[in-house]
Amino acid sequence: MNKLLHELQQATLQRETRRHFLHTCSTGLGAMGLTGLLTGCGFFDKKQPAAQAPALADNPMTPRVAPAVARAKRVIYIHMAGSPSQLELFDYKPELVKYHGRDCPQELLTGKKFAFIRGVPKMLGPQGKFAQHGQSGAYISDYLPYLQPMADDLTFLKAMYTDQFNHAPAQLMMHTGSARLGRPSIGSWVTYGLGTENDDLPGFIVLASGGKQPDAGKSVWGSGFLPTVYQGVQCRTDGDPVLYVSNPAGMTGDIRKQTIDAITEINRQEYEEAQDPEILTRISQYEMAFRMQTSVPDAMDIKGEPQAMLDLYGADPNKGSFARNCLLARRLVERGVRFVQLFDWGWDTHGTSADGSIETGLRNKCQASDQAVAALLKDLKQRGLLDETLVVWGGEFGRTPMQENRDGQTLPFMGRDHHLEAFTVWMAGGGVKRGFSYGETDDIGYYGVKDKVHVHDLQATILHLLGFDHEKLTFPFQGRNFRLTDTAGKVVKAVLA
């Protein structure tokens, strides 16, 4: 009750500000100037097509129909933070074996930027044992035995490339379309365009594992200059799924509902005067938080799953893990969540330690995730959800074909430095071809030489599969319309089913 009174007091004080005076000034000049400023700072452009922007008078998360035919209704994006080595997993390069242990040719070093490599490193042959799988004949190494039988469900982008070679900016580039802070994440753009199919759960949910957050922090699921209702909601896998989702001691559900209703009425009166969309966000979030007290614990509780399903994923219902998050991802999309983002930290294999090495660390990470990823694909498929759910898997960049060194000294374990020229991302379900590989790298996996795909191209393709033209899904901010793909990007039509 004290908080309610405090908010009422704040609302009263705000009516005494210069902004309030200008807004209600009888000449109208103040309101005109203020409206121009607010529109430039991120308010919806009333001239935008209804298909591209939600009506502010309604719930901003109301489900909406995409402007074009959508091949996918929802997305599960699995990001391996740190970036797994494509040369050990998917991009088979037998020629690289011949160069193992030799000095790296100078032409691969001159004028290039690396995060750590200095001097002349040694070439490093692939450590995984590769074989072709499925009717597609896709190469997948023994690092991923559970994924191998799923080869004919996957579409590989073998010649991905990016502009950034350090983790934080590369993660921002991958998820927000820009290496700088402040842009909305792809999950925010999707929920901004489509809303959500479940009124009782957030439209964009994030699950993290690996013991640490991504290097770019929570900005990779932030809403940037979009209204904050579209930002990702991180759910924990231990304790309350969302902090403070449970009622405090002495607070009953009825009292909480009365409090929320009172706050909502105050906010609605404020919105009628100020027309600030963030007030609608506040209303929506208060009401969502109340509904989440029931819906989130139910969705996040996997103890009711059959033992055979827990065994399929390798998930312990009493312990947070990547496997548990994969199972939760299925439960969430099954309930209508529009965008589920999985982050798993620990894929940065420089060779400075056993845990951070190609021969040990990468194998361990694959063993902890391979079964669950394959299980997620099987589970979605058998439930009839894969056709309408786009699954994306990858890191923020690739790894070099040479072994990393530091100050010209060879490291004690095998490792590869960051590489922006070539890496692999795969997709499954939701309107993409199955058992298909697009793009090629050269004989040692250094450069993309055919059908290269930039990060912005991947983003444009994801939006296209959801029914959006990436050039038209925009938001006005600081005097111009912004979009996820900035000023670039093209749909990779060859991968569309």
Side-chain angles (χ1 to χ4, degrees):
M1 187 58 70
N2 288 335
K3 291 183 178 179
L4 182 59
L5 292 173
H6 179 66
E7 185 164 342
L8 179 61
Q9 184 182 33
Q10 281 187 319
T12 302
L13 291 173
Q14 286 174 354
R15 292 189 177 92
E16 299 176 4
T17 63
R18 285 176 292 176
R19 175 177 291 184
H20 180 73
F21 170 75
L22 289 172
H23 182 70
T24 57
C25 179
S26 60
T27 65
L29 294 176
M32 289 171 59
L34 183 61
T35 300
L37 287 171
L38 292 177
T39 301
C41 291
F43 278 54
F44 287 106
D45 184 349
K46 303 298 183 183
K47 296 180 181 179
Q48 273 191 286
Q52 303 294 348
L56 291 180
D58 302 324
N59 181 349
M61 294 301 291
T62 298
R64 291 176 288 281
V65 177
V69 176
R71 301 165 188 246
K73 291 183 177 180
R74 60 196 75 88
V75 177
I76 298 174
Y77 196 124
I78 306 170
H79 185 99
M80 303 319 209
S83 294
S85 171
Q86 75 282 3
L87 295 169
E88 267 63 52
L89 304 182
F90 305 115
D91 202 12
Y92 179 46
K93 296 299 171 185
E95 285 294 312
L96 190 56
V97 176
K98 301 176 183 179
Y99 295 98
H100 179 78
R102 298 184 187 180
D103 286 347
C104 178
Q106 194 60 44
E107 59 264 30
L108 300 182
L109 304 173
T110 303
K112 302 298 181 182
K113 292 182 179 180
F114 301 100
F116 295 101
I117 285 177
R118 301 293 183 269
V120 180
K122 303 291 186 182
M123 300 301 291
L124 178 59
Q127 300 303 299
K129 295 180 180 179
F130 282 86
Q132 291 179 282
H133 297 276
Q135 293 183 352
S136 63
Y139 280 101
I140 303 177
S141 84
D142 62 339
Y143 277 55
L144 300 170
Y146 286 93
L147 192 65
Q148 289 173 344
M150 308 301 296
D152 287 341
D153 289 292
L154 307 179
T155 286
F156 292 96
L157 301 175
K158 291 286 191 69
M160 286 289 304
Y161 69 104
T162 182
D163 305 330
Q164 303 297 321
F165 64 89
N166 283 322
H167 294 294
Q171 289 168 4
L172 287 170
M173 173 66 77
M174 182 63 72
H175 293 282
T176 74
S178 172
R180 297 183 177 182
L181 295 168
R183 297 288 185 89
S185 63
I186 185 170
S188 296
W189 281 111
V190 170
T191 51
Y192 162 66
L194 293 177
T196 183
E197 296 178 310
N198 189 324
D199 290 337
D200 298 331
L201 289 168
F204 177 15
I205 290 182
V206 180
L207 301 168
S209 56
K212 293 184 180 180
Q213 301 281 6
D215 298 81
K218 297 183 179 181
S219 295
V220 288
W221 61 81
S223 58
F225 44 71
L226 291 178
T228 51
V229 71
Y230 300 115
Q231 71 182 3
V233 174
Q234 184 179 7
C235 289
R236 305 187 308 163
T237 52
D238 292 308
D240 276 348
V242 178
L243 288 174
Y244 312 117
V245 72
S246 299
N247 283 326
M251 172 72 76
T252 66
D254 289 341
I255 295 176
R256 174 59 66 91
K257 183 64 169 63
Q258 292 173 15
T259 303
I260 297 298
D261 289 344
I263 293 172
T264 296
E265 182 57 30
I266 292 172
N267 283 327
R268 288 194 183 282
Q269 292 179 16
E270 186 70 12
Y271 175 71
E272 289 176 3
E273 295 186 17
Q275 294 294 301
D276 184 346
E278 278 299 308
I279 298 173
L280 289 183
T281 291
R282 191 186 313 157
I283 293 171
S284 178
Q285 288 177 331
Y286 269 115
E287 294 177 346
M288 172 64 75
F290 179 73
R291 296 193 298 271
M292 283 169 58
Q293 289 188 294
T294 301
S295 61
V296 169
D298 174 67
M300 300 291 287
D301 184 5
I302 66 170
K303 293 180 180 177
E305 291 283 344
Q307 187 60 47
M309 188 61 62
L310 296 174
D311 293 341
L312 177 68
Y313 282 84
D316 183 341
N318 299 307
K319 184 179 179 181
S321 65
F322 176 79
R324 189 171 186 267
N325 288 352
C326 285
L327 178 50
L328 288 172
R330 185 267 290 166
R331 291 174 61 86
L332 292 170
V333 297
E334 195 174 35
R335 287 163 169 77
V337 175
R338 188 72 73 181
F339 201 101
V340 180
Q341 179 77 64
L342 303 187
F343 283 101
D344 187 55
W345 184 88
W347 293 81
D348 196 21
T349 48
H350 287 282
T352 55
S353 66
D355 286 342
S357 69
I358 294 291
E359 66 268 36
T360 301
L362 181 60
R363 279 197 180 275
N364 290 341
K365 291 301 294 184
C366 288
Q367 288 174 3
S369 63
D370 178 37
Q371 178 180 349
V373 171
L376 175 61
L377 295 175
K378 291 178 183 177
D379 197 5
L380 291 171
K381 193 174 181 180
Q382 70 185 12
R383 292 171 187 269
L385 290 170
L386 188 59
D387 288 339
E388 296 183 338
T389 303
L390 178 65
V391 182
V392 184
W393 184 101
E396 58 264 30
F397 42 57
R399 314 303 297 202
T400 59
M402 61 280 272
Q403 183 170 357
E404 184 175 323
N405 60 12
R406 299 281 175 97
D407 298 322
Q409 301 297 315
T410 301
L411 295 172
F413 299 93
M414 293 183 187
R416 301 184 187 274
D417 202 355
H418 309 166
H419 192 53
L420 53 78
E421 300 282 358
F423 62 105
T424 298
V425 167
W426 61 254
M427 299 187 290
V432 297
K433 292 179 179 177
R434 298 184 176 183
F436 184 69
S437 184
Y438 183 78
E440 295 178 15
T441 57
D442 60 26
D443 288 343
I444 61 171
Y446 193 96
Y447 293 109
V449 294
K450 181 182 178 183
D451 297 329
K452 297 173 65 175
V453 176
H454 187 266
V455 167
H456 286 140
D457 301 334
L458 174 63
Q459 294 161 347
T461 304
I462 293 172
L463 292 181
H464 176 81
L465 289 166
L466 292 165
F468 286 100
D469 181 337
H470 70 104
E471 294 183 352
K472 295 180 180 179
L473 182 62
T474 62
F475 189 86
F477 178 67
Q478 293 183 340
R480 77 171 177 93
N481 285 337
F482 281 79
R483 68 185 206 225
L484 171 63
T485 52
D486 198 31
T487 60
K490 61 182 184 298
V491 175
V492 186
K493 295 181 179 180
V495 305
L496 305 180

